Amino acid sequence: MPFSQYRPTSDQPAWKRRLYRIIFESGTRGGKVFDVCLLLAIGLSVTVVMLESVESIRTACGGLLRFVEWTFTILFTVEYIARLLCVRRPLRYVWSFYGIIDLFAFLP
């Protein structure tokens, strides 16, 4: 498992270990639900950005599209913070390949 180096130790709080299992372990029921929801959010976010690039749609629904786009930005920010909260070494995760990809997911 590539993220095992970030796994919280048994002396860390139970909520941290549970959150880690949900976010990083896709073999669990919670992990599968999290992954599916995250993939749907990514797909919808990309769709909103694409729709916003069409001038006629942006003119008709610009305010709604910006609201939805900011909602996804906030959602991805919360997801990034949750990842940092549940790993054993947050700074190591921040500078990892996946940490940088996650950071770019919500930077406007």
Side-chain angles (χ1 to χ4, degrees):
M1 172 173 280
F3 294 106
S4 59
Q5 65 180 335
Y6 303 115
R7 184 187 319 264
T9 57
S10 59
D11 63 334
Q12 291 181 315
W15 67 266
K16 199 177 229 192
R17 294 189 310 270
R18 180 166 161 48
L19 187 60
Y20 178 90
R21 277 193 305 274
I22 290 170
I23 292 175
F24 289 101
E25 295 180 5
S26 60
T28 65
R29 186 180 190 314
K32 288 177 186 175
V33 169
F34 178 80
D35 287 348
V36 168
C37 289
L38 188 58
L39 287 172
L40 286 171
I42 292 168
L44 290 171
S45 176
V46 169
T47 302
V48 167
V49 171
M50 288 171 38
L51 290 172
E52 195 174 30
S53 71
V54 178
E55 188 165 342
S56 60
I57 296 174
R58 184 177 56 244
T59 302
C61 306
L64 175 64
L65 292 173
R66 275 189 299 282
F67 173 77
V68 172
E69 189 177 344
W70 275 105
T71 302
F72 281 121
T73 300
I74 292 167
L75 176 72
F76 294 139
T77 303
V78 169
E79 181 241 347
Y80 185 74
I81 291 168
R83 286 180 186 270
L84 294 179
L85 285 173
C86 73
V87 295
R88 187 175 3 145
R89 297 181 179 146
L91 284 178
R92 182 176 270 183
Y93 179 77
V94 166
W95 296 110
S96 71
F97 174 77
Y98 292 107
I100 291 170
I101 296 297
D102 284 341
L103 181 64
F104 288 149
F106 71 87
L107 288 177

